[in-house]
């Protein structure tokens, strides 16, 4: 199962998050994930692990052309030349010639520089530094402005999305604009794993709660990027393609969503991350 983006490039149905995977232990976790079959590594300049990601790529022995390596631009470098320099610096750290996917990490609307940052990503793509360009944590109003002012639609919008915050309106907007929704913290950083309704569904299929949630993502056409340093959890998170949830089960999980379901109150309309 794959997703074809609006620029013709392709992403796998599930990726591997790398937040807090740094140094030798981080490389080991990422190599383990790649050896299990993950082909998308999701990093960021602010994770301070682009070097570890590049080292994992080399140690895995998997041809570079078979991997999707993603990173993100921090808010403190939204100005055009700073953004170009940051992309290049990230590639130098990783020891890579290009990123397959690069995102603006947060819009930081109070700074009002995200359109300038987007213009830098467009240019970096022309330079060959990036294959596909997208955004993270952008609301419809932010994406509308990017499209209006540059004529270029992001291929991806990576957002907080889990059963406590199912992002229905954002998903519908993304789909209407042919933007692939990607879920960070798809398992809700553990809180949602205790929900009785999901436990009941998991027992029916002989799966764990995390697998049911990741399956729920897939059936919403959302690309989840779960993270785990443990090989056994990495393996089970991939084992989600041999069962399907019924419409009633999908609806039962959707009913867990709350208007204020963000885990850390990081509303992109006001939240700033540098």
């Amino acid at each position: 199962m794959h997703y074809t983006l609006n620029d013709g490039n392709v992403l796998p149905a599930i990726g591997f998050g790398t937040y807090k995977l740094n140094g030798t232990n981080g490389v080991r976790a990422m190599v383990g994930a790649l050896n299990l079959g993950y082909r998308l590594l999701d990093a960021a300049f602010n994770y301070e692990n682009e070097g570890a990601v590049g080292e994992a790529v080399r140690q895995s022995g998997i041809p570079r052309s078979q991997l999707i390596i993603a990173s993100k631009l921090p808010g403190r470098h939204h100005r055009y030349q700073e953004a170009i320099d940051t992309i290049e610096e990230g590639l130098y750290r990783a020891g890579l010639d290009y990123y397959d996917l690069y995102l603006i990490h947060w819009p930081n609307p109070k700074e009002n520089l995200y359109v300038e940052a987007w213009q830098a990503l467009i240019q970096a793509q022309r330079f060959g530094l990036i294959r596909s360009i997208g955004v993270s944590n952008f609301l419809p109003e932010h994406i509308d402005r990017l499209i209006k002012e540059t004529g270029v639609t992001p291929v991806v919008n990576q957002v907080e999305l889990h059963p406590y915050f199912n992002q229905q309106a954002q998903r519908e907007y993304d789909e209407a604009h042919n933007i692939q929704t990607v879920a960070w913290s798809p398992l809700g950083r553990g809180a949602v794993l205790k929900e009785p309704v999901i436990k009941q569904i998991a027992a029916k299929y002989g799966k764990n709660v995390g697998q049911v949630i990741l399956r729920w993502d897939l059936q919403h056409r959302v690309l989840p990027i779960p993270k785990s340093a443990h090989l056994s959890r990495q393996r089970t998170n991939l084992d989600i393609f041999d069962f399907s949830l019924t419409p009633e089960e999908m609806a039962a999980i959707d009913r867990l969503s709350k208007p204020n379901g963000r885990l850390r109150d990081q509303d992109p309309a006001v939240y700033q991350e540098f």
Side-chain angles (χ1 to χ4, degrees):
M1 183 176 175
H2 292 80
Y3 296 116
T4 301
L5 304 176
N6 64 38
D7 64 359
N9 290 328
V10 174
L11 296 182
I14 185 170
F16 186 73
T18 69
Y19 178 59
K20 291 192 174 178
L21 295 180
N22 304 74
T24 300
N25 288 336
V27 171
R28 187 177 297 120
M30 287 185 261
V31 171
L34 292 173
N35 288 337
L36 284 174
Y38 290 90
R39 288 297 178 265
L40 165 58
L41 294 182
D42 179 79
F45 193 86
N46 269 355
Y47 299 171
E48 298 182 343
N49 69 349
E50 289 171 310
V53 169
E55 183 60 21
V57 169
R58 288 184 287 277
Q59 288 191 20
S60 74
I62 297 166
R64 175 70 181 89
S65 60
Q66 295 180 19
L67 300 176
I68 305 293
I69 308 301
S71 194
K72 308 181 194 75
L73 180 75
R76 64 188 179 278
H77 294 316
H78 276 192
R79 293 195 181 278
Y80 181 88
Q81 192 56 50
E82 287 185 35
I84 297 291
D85 292 344
T86 300
I87 294 164
E88 292 174 336
E89 182 64 32
L91 288 170
Y92 293 147
R93 292 179 183 185
L96 300 174
D97 295 326
Y98 63 92
Y99 281 119
D100 299 273
L101 178 64
Y102 202 86
L103 315 176
I104 301 175
H105 207 154
W106 288 85
N108 284 19
K110 293 177 188 175
E111 305 302 310
N112 196 29
L113 292 169
Y114 62 89
V115 175
E116 185 172 337
W118 187 238
Q119 290 165 334
L121 264 63
I122 293 169
Q123 191 61 38
Q125 186 180 36
R126 291 177 183 146
F127 291 159
L129 301 176
I130 305 168
R131 296 283 171 88
S132 293
I133 57 175
V135 295
S136 182
N137 303 299
F138 272 52
L139 299 173
E141 66 205 58
H142 304 136
I143 298 175
D144 283 343
R145 188 175 167 205
L146 294 184
I147 296 170
K148 180 182 177 183
E149 296 194 26
T150 70
V152 179
T153 302
V155 299
V156 153
N157 187 20
Q158 183 182 128
V159 295
E160 178 179 358
L161 194 157
H162 44 77
Y164 286 158
F165 196 63
N166 73 9
Q167 290 271 27
Q168 182 177 347
Q170 184 69 60
R171 283 188 285 111
E172 290 173 354
Y173 171 92
D174 291 348
E175 190 166 350
H177 290 79
N178 199 17
I179 298 169
Q180 177 61 50
T181 303
V182 176
W184 61 260
S185 282
L187 303 181
R189 293 192 173 133
V192 75
L193 300 179
K194 299 170 185 173
E195 281 294 335
V197 65
I198 309 180
K199 284 185 173 182
Q200 187 176 0
I201 295 169
K204 170 185 169 183
Y205 292 106
K207 296 290 183 179
N208 65 39
V209 169
Q211 289 170 311
V212 169
I213 294 171
L214 294 174
R215 182 70 209 183
W216 169 80
D217 281 318
L218 293 191
Q219 291 183 220
H220 273 316
R221 291 194 54 77
V222 169
L223 194 167
I225 45 169
K227 183 211 85 174
S228 177
H230 303 289
L231 208 61
S232 59
R233 185 64 55 80
Q234 292 173 5
R235 183 179 288 108
T236 57
N237 284 347
L238 275 182
D239 187 20
I240 56 174
F241 297 97
D242 59 350
F243 73 109
S244 294
L245 303 177
T246 66
E248 293 76 19
E249 289 162 345
M250 291 289 291
I253 298 173
D254 278 327
R255 282 194 291 272
L256 297 172
S257 192
K258 312 165 189 174
N260 62 344
R262 297 183 191 276
L263 296 176
R264 295 183 179 174
D265 197 29
Q266 294 170 310
D267 182 352
V270 294
Y271 181 74
Q272 301 271 94
E273 175 149 317
F274 296 97

